[in-house]
Each structure stands twice: as C-alpha cells, then as structure tokens.
Amino acid sequence: MRIIAFYSPKGGVGKTAAAVNIAYLASRDQVATLLWDLDPQGAAGFYLAGAQPVKGRKLSRLLEGKAPIARFVHDDVYPGLDVIPSHPSFRNFDIRLNQDEEGSHSLKKLLAPLSEETSLVVLDCPPTLSRLTEQVLELADRVYVPLVPTWLSLNSWKQLQAFVKSQKLPAKKLRPYFSLVDRRKKLHRELTESSDPGIERLLDVAIPYASVVEQMGEQGQPLEVLAPNTPAAESFRRLWQRIREDLW
Ligand SMILES: Nc1ncnc2c1ncn2[C@@H]1O[C@H](COP(=O)(O)OP(=O)(O)OP(=O)(O)O)[C@@H](O)[C@H]1O
Ligand SMILES: [Mg+2]
C-alpha cells in the first residue's frame, strides 16, 4: 500500500480538487484506491456526489478506537474508488493525536487494516501546520504540494520547508507543482516558464486555472467524468502519470 498526500499550509490552492481527480484517475487505472478527506471542513465530498458522510457513523468513535475504520469507508463511489468522507469530529484529530502517546490511534495504525485491499491511499489534508500534518508528512510516501505562482504562495512553500526541517521530517518526499496557473498573469507566466524558478523537486506539470474545475463542485464529479476533453483534465492526467512513475 502506497500513501500520498495533497498538502499545503496555504488554503485554496487546489489540494482537494487534485486529491479527488488523482484518486479517480488511479482507480480508473485499476489501482485500488482509498481517498481520505482529513479536512474537518471537507470539500472532497462536494466533488464526489456519492461520498457524503453517513448519518449515525461518528468518526469520533474511530479516533477513540471504538469502531473499525472499515465502517467509515464508502465502498466503490466509483469502481475501485473507496472514500472516507470528512466529518466535523476530525477537528479533534489533533487533540487525540497529542493525547495518544503510544501512537495507538495514529494514522498509520488506523490505515493498517485496509492495506490488503488498498493499493493507494490519497490523503486530502487541511491547510494547517499541526500534529496531524506531522503524521501525514511522516507517513506518506510522497507529499504533493500545489503552488500558485505568486510570491505569497512561494513564501508558504518556504514556510513548509522550514517546518519540515525543524521537525526533522524527510524533505525529500515533498513534490511541489504549480496549480491554478493563469497565463494571463505576467508573474504566472514568468514563474511557470522559467527554466529554474528555484524550487527543488518541482514537477513538470502545471494545473491551469479553469472554470471547469470549479464546476466539479456543482456537479459532484471528477474532471475526467465531467469534462475529459479539456486542458485541465489533460493536466491532471499528466500529474497522475508523474505520480505513478514516482511511486512504483
Ligand atoms: N485549477 C483550478 N481552476 C479553477 N478553480 C480551481 C482550480 N482548482 C481549484 N479551484 C477552485 O478553487 C477553490 C479551492 O480549491 P480546493 O478546494 O481544491 O483548494 P484547497 O487547497 O483544497 O482549499 P482548502 O485549503 O480550503 O482545503 C474551489 O472553489 C475550487 O473549485
Ligand atoms: Mg481542501
């Protein structure tokens, strides 16, 4: 079982859109995939109409070790794509992780029972620097970091690198890529076309700013279902290809 995360300390940079599209593309390539929306305000469910939290299934019980993870998984939202939708109780995830000195409810332990039936776990993370983030950075094989080509966003990339360094986490697994690229903007063009924008391990994939991505939320479908013949869909296919080459 391989684990990847979409993460940035900056909000609204396209983490969730990418996590949903990549999880869908992986499942379509016969990779048994689980998408876990770790954001308590989760948006992944908006992008996948079939993955709303089921009433009565309290995720707090999972975090307390009182219920097995399998009970929270929506099987086959699409063939080969399982989803753990977000839940407001995930806001307590950090408190739990801090209390849990033996790590018995760590993300790693929670995921372990699913390892036989799952080839790829895609974690959609909230934009926070927290204990949960630390665990994700420790656990994931690769962490994909969307960067909007602006100074503010590049600054948050530096902030993330400093955090990783200060926590002695492996920086090598970080994979930044440009997201929400608007070619009408000079700075976006300059940074994405630069032969050396000074960003280590930058992937050669740029996700364009495209209104069709926003429509994913309205339609509750991944881009590959909604609008496969668009440049944005093509850029996500390319991103999936890079991820696949990188993992196996
Ligand atoms: N490539 C894109 N082109 C245009 N709009 C996009 C694109 N990617 C995402 N969006 C839109 O931008 C907003 C934020 O996207 P998304 O939820 O994926 O970001 P996020 O990084 O997960 O945000 P948060 O930090 O709040 O979790 C959404 O309204 C989404 O529809
Ligand atoms: Mg998000």
Side-chain angles (χ1 to χ4, degrees):
M1 185 171 76
R2 310 291 272 163
I3 300 174
I4 63 171
F6 285 87
Y7 173 69
S8 162
K10 190 159 165 49
V13 293
K15 298 180 288 292
T16 301
V20 168
N21 284 322
I22 293 305
Y24 176 78
L25 287 167
S27 69
R28 220 194 44 161
D29 265 0
Q30 274 78 50
V31 176
T33 302
L34 170 72
L35 171 67
W36 189 349
D37 183 352
L38 287 169
D39 190 340
Q41 318 203 25
F46 292 122
Y47 293 137
L48 290 170
Q52 301 306 319
V54 175
K55 274 191 190 151
R57 291 189 197 176
K58 282 200 180 145
L59 276 171
S60 53
R61 291 181 59 78
L62 168 67
L63 305 182
E64 285 160 11
K66 289 183 185 156
I69 191 167
R71 208 177 285 170
F72 300 91
V73 176
H74 284 255
D75 293 323
D76 285 333
V77 172
Y78 286 96
L81 176 58
D82 296 345
V83 178
I84 303 182
S86 143
H87 191 276
S89 66
F90 272 165
R91 72 184 187 284
N92 299 326
F93 219 142
D94 272 303
I95 304 168
R96 272 280 148 220
L97 293 175
N98 278 327
Q99 289 166 346
D100 180 27
E101 281 167 17
E102 295 147 40
S104 48
H105 308 309
S106 67
L107 273 184
K108 193 175 183 175
K109 288 243 169 80
L110 291 173
L111 282 168
L114 301 175
S115 65
E116 278 191 18
E117 68 228 51
T118 310
S119 305
L120 178 68
V121 176
V122 179
L123 302 173
D124 180 22
C125 303
T128 49
L129 285 169
S130 61
R131 181 78 193 102
L132 176 64
T133 312
E134 272 174 52
Q135 284 216 353
V136 167
L137 291 167
E138 270 168 39
L139 174 68
D141 294 293
R142 297 281 184 275
V143 177
Y144 295 92
V145 185
L147 298 181
V148 182
T150 62
W151 298 124
L152 204 62
S153 183
L154 295 181
N155 201 38
S156 73
W157 166 242
K158 291 206 179 101
Q159 194 190 346
L160 174 59
Q161 284 180 304
F163 178 75
V164 164
K165 214 170 151 190
S166 71
Q167 301 297 316
K168 299 194 170 49
L169 294 162
K172 276 188 189 159
K173 61 173 70 167
L174 299 180
R175 293 287 182 281
Y177 65 92
F178 283 125
S179 173
L180 286 161
V181 176
D182 184 349
R183 298 190 49 77
R184 290 168 302 185
K185 294 182 178 157
K186 186 162 167 271
L187 182 59
H188 283 220
R189 281 200 309 277
E190 275 174 12
L191 283 168
T192 54
E193 286 166 11
S194 160
S195 58
D196 181 17
I199 300 165
E200 270 178 280
R201 291 178 297 274
L202 181 71
L203 295 178
D204 64 339
V205 179
I207 307 295
Y209 182 92
S211 57
V212 73
V213 181
E214 287 170 314
Q215 285 165 29
M216 283 174 60
E218 287 157 39
Q219 305 293 328
Q221 289 176 330
L223 205 51
E224 194 61 21
V225 175
L226 183 67
N229 299 318
T230 52
E234 170 61 29
S235 71
F236 282 112
R237 285 193 293 270
R238 204 171 136 104
L239 179 59
W240 164 234
Q241 228 172 28
R242 289 290 172 278
I243 293 173
R244 191 172 196 166
E245 289 161 4
D246 210 17
L247 284 177
W248 285 285

